[in-house]
Amino acid sequence: MILPFIWMILTSLKTYAESIHIPPVLFPKEFQWGNYKDVFGLLPFFKFMFNTIIITVLRTVGQLFLCSLAAYAFARIEFPGRNFFFLLTLTVLMVPGQVFLLPQYMIMVKLGWLNSLQAVVVPGLFSAFGTFLLRQFFMGLPKELEEAARLDGCNHFKIYWKIMLPLAKPGLIALGIFTTLWSWNELMWPMIVNSSTESMTLSVGLSSLQGQYLTNYPVLMAGSFLAILPMLILFIFLQKQFIEGIAVTGGK
């Protein structure tokens, strides 16, 4: 699992000739730290990273709020057609994401949102997977807590906000990590709706380093390493909560 990361780091420190040499060269003769400098010279790297951070944060917060609301409704509120609408939501998981690209693109065109951050953010504010994940978690919480809150005069939103949501912290963390990784690494949709450098993300910017006839692999690997570094740090610090969220949700 670690070998591709090691290979990426070593390639980012090679010369172009070493990166395409046959047989492959494992260790560079001399570390080419200038490849990292070239990344900032070829791309507005910090602008792309800022756009990616904004999109990732907005998507993650939106999914945690909207998916948890929908999950609580499907798990704890009795209303006509609840199971039907939940199954309808799950059907989204059975359809390849590419099917939605054209309809979503047409909507963005009519709204005049092309080459803007909201064109990337808004379609990712809700997730059928996130709703399913949190619903399973809410269903495993004791009903006595909800009944006690009703006796104290709490309505559904207060029960959701003050009781259920804090107890669902492991599931929320797991969904937050999933959403963060997905938003940070997404390539296809940001590439379709954004062609302006003002609203371009890191993944799209790095893809522009790959040419049709020639690709400077050391520079590309240097940019890729800088791009994954924030997510790598995030996983290192949150791996305990991530594993706990998956284990508790799966167990319920």
Side-chain angles (χ1 to χ4, degrees):
M1 182 184 68
I2 299 177
L3 183 61
F5 293 98
I6 297 175
W7 182 261
M8 176 178 61
I9 295 172
L10 292 176
T11 303
S12 71
L13 298 172
K14 296 177 183 177
T15 62
Y16 175 73
E18 289 174 332
S19 69
I20 62 173
H21 191 272
I22 301 295
V25 176
L26 182 58
F27 294 99
K29 292 183 179 179
E30 185 176 348
F31 289 162
Q32 305 295 319
W33 298 105
N35 292 330
Y36 289 87
K37 183 179 178 181
D38 292 341
V39 173
F40 297 100
L42 294 172
L43 299 174
F45 190 86
F46 289 110
K47 177 63 177 176
F48 291 167
M49 178 168 283
F50 177 76
N51 292 338
T52 307
I53 291 174
I54 293 297
I55 290 170
T56 301
V57 169
L58 292 177
R59 277 183 162 187
T60 303
V61 173
Q63 284 205 22
L64 290 178
F65 180 65
L66 296 177
C67 292
S68 61
L69 273 177
Y72 174 76
F74 284 130
R76 316 297 290 199
I77 301 177
E78 294 287 344
F79 59 90
R82 183 182 69 168
N83 293 333
F84 169 77
F85 287 112
F86 179 65
L87 290 175
L88 195 63
T89 303
L90 290 183
T91 56
V92 178
L93 298 176
M94 305 175 190
V95 181
Q98 292 81 358
V99 175
F100 302 111
L101 291 178
L102 183 57
Q104 288 180 350
Y105 180 81
M106 296 302 297
I107 293 174
M108 296 302 112
V109 171
K110 292 182 179 180
L111 291 174
W113 284 1
L114 293 182
N115 295 319
S116 65
L117 294 181
Q118 60 263 33
V120 184
V121 172
V122 173
L125 289 178
F126 183 78
S127 167
F129 168 76
T131 303
F132 171 75
L133 183 71
L134 294 179
R135 174 186 177 270
Q136 300 305 109
F137 197 94
F138 283 134
M139 289 185 69
L141 297 177
K143 292 184 178 180
E144 290 77 10
L145 295 173
E146 186 177 356
E147 294 171 354
R150 287 183 178 179
L151 290 175
D152 289 337
C154 291
N155 55 26
H156 280 300
F157 186 79
K158 285 186 177 180
I159 295 173
Y160 154 79
W161 187 257
K162 294 185 177 181
I163 298 176
M164 296 298 177
L165 208 57
L167 293 175
K169 182 180 177 181
L172 292 172
I173 292 176
L175 176 60
I177 294 177
F178 278 133
T179 307
T180 300
L181 292 175
W182 168 63
S183 299
W184 190 271
N185 296 322
E186 189 180 18
L187 173 64
M188 184 175 295
W189 179 246
M191 182 180 290
I192 290 174
V193 296
N194 282 334
S195 58
S196 170
T197 55
E198 291 299 317
S199 54
M200 196 172 288
T201 61
L202 265 178
S203 57
V204 179
L206 289 174
S207 69
S208 65
L209 293 177
Q210 187 169 359
Q212 183 176 0
Y213 302 106
L214 177 67
T215 299
N216 192 333
Y217 293 106
V219 175
L220 180 60
M221 292 298 102
S224 300
F225 175 70
L226 292 174
I228 70 170
L229 195 58
M231 293 296 100
L232 189 61
I233 295 173
L234 180 68
F235 178 76
I236 291 173
F237 281 99
L238 295 180
Q239 59 179 324
K240 180 180 179 181
Q241 289 83 351
F242 175 75
I243 295 172
E244 179 186 356
I246 296 299
V248 174
T249 305
K252 293 296 182 180

